[in-house]
Amino acid sequence: GAVAYQPTPGGMLVGAFRNATFIDTTVRLSAGDTLLLYTDGLTEARTNTTDGRFEEEALLEFTTAIAPTTAPAAVAAVTALLAELGPGLDDDVAVLAISVPPRDPPS
């Protein structure tokens, strides 16, 4: 049920620059883990918060509340969140989740 943010510094907009340089990173998933990938349209959504944006901290709180989860459940939860944000979305949002099934308990 733990949630952690995996920073990806140096990320670039895909397709915007002819000679773009991309970074890569490795994340090892274990049984029961879910990885949620998203574009900045989610964390830049306008809200009624003090900061005025949804931002990474709010996303971390949101994902902590739904953990542990599976990829389909995570995408469904974020989709419902996007519907709640409604007109606060200024940018397109893409979400992708990958999960590793939990191990079956020994019999």
Side-chain angles (χ1 to χ4, degrees):
V3 175
Y5 178 68
Q6 298 294 318
T8 54
M12 285 192 100
L13 179 63
V14 175
F17 304 102
R18 177 173 294 234
N19 296 319
T21 303
F22 297 97
I23 59 141
D24 63 3
T25 188
T26 301
V27 176
R28 185 174 304 270
L29 300 178
S30 298
D33 287 350
T34 298
L35 176 66
L36 177 68
L37 305 169
Y38 58 92
T39 59
D40 63 351
L42 174 57
T43 53
E44 292 177 356
R46 289 180 285 115
T47 64
N48 293 330
T49 63
T50 306
D51 296 334
R53 297 283 180 183
F54 189 66
E55 298 193 357
E56 285 84 5
E57 186 62 35
L59 182 58
L60 190 60
E61 288 177 25
F62 176 80
T63 53
T64 298
I66 65 169
T69 191
T70 62
V75 170
V78 172
T79 301
L81 171 66
L82 293 171
E84 290 175 22
L85 293 174
L89 295 174
D90 293 332
D91 195 358
D92 59 323
V93 177
V95 177
L96 171 69
I98 302 166
S99 56
V100 178
R103 289 190 185 103
D104 290 329
S107 27

